[in-house]
Amino acid sequence: MISHGKDIKVFSGNANPKLAEEICKLMGTKLGESEVGTFSDGEIFVSLYETVRGSDVFVVQSTCTPVNNNLMELLIMIDALKRASAGRITAVIPYFGYARQDRKAKARDPITAKLVANMIAAAGADRVLTMDLHAAQIQGFFDIPVDNLAGNPVFVDYYAKKFGADCENMVVVSPDVGSVARARAFAQKLHMNLAIVDKRRQKANQCEVMNVIGDVEGKDCILFDDLVDTAGSLCNAAQALMEVGHAKSVHACASHGVLSGPAIERLNNSAIKELALLDTIPAIDPAKSEKIKYLPVAPMFAEAIERIYQEVSISKLFR
């Protein structure tokens, strides 16, 4: 017996309404009626146009650009639902912003990921559903349950169909040492070998590729990372694979396509043949780059939401 919520309802902020609509379509329900806007001075307002009393409510909102606006929308929606007596509130955050500020890298640094976790819990969220946190330990920053879905099953399915039997002759490449664990898990599922690009970061958003660890000569490579921001790391890694490692070709994939600043220009001018991204962040205009392909995450989130509502395990989504 389900001990909470008489029914299930899904609401969306302005960050990624298309994803929320696709999730609802797969679940066979309609998106909750609400309005999220701003007053003339920039303050955010939220209006709910249907009852949520006793309901199991899911708020779909990535904290992508504009990060602070989308974060405030999420917090205010959670507060509105709490005050409207929702039975349980789950913050569905496909892309969790501020996740890169998860530790003190130097003296007097904030740990902003922990601050955001505190804010979400304080607003009234009962649990969080997200995907591919930049640092897995952020799950421990919350005092409420966190389900951190893995995007690599989507990529495994995509590349298995794209390359078929050729997969075993390809190499998965981690663009830096910090991404080795997730790249290794991905490589094992596709029965591929693993290589690592060793780099030294000079300052924020800039990096210098130093060496390629592993045999990539004459191989088709897949660069695997959790997010692409300015694309400097990814494009430099691709250049190193071609010039230093003498790879045959380079594909790339990442869960979150932040794509800020010069990212599109860098990708278009890089050695990368195709960059596969999950649609946790809204897709860019296809005219800007023919190299970018988006893969849907709505099926995974729809199943996760239904399983959370039914109070059954979601562990099968990690396999």
Side-chain angles (χ1 to χ4, degrees), residues 71-104:
L71 177 58
M72 282 304 299
E73 282 186 11
L74 174 64
L75 298 174
I76 294 170
M77 288 187 79
I78 292 170
D79 183 73
L81 291 163
K82 193 75 173 177
R83 295 177 188 278
S85 301
R88 182 173 68 175
I89 303 166
T90 300
V92 182
I93 312 172
Y95 169 67
F96 186 90
Y98 285 112
R100 285 173 282 180
Q101 299 184 40
D102 64 309
R103 65 196 185 282
K104 293 184 69 171

Side-chain angles (χ1 to χ4, degrees), residues 102 132-141 146 148 182:
D102 64 309
D132 282 337
L133 287 168
H134 183 67
Q137 65 265 26
I138 292 174
Q139 295 172 86
F141 292 0
V146 176
N148 181 29
R182 62 172 64 94

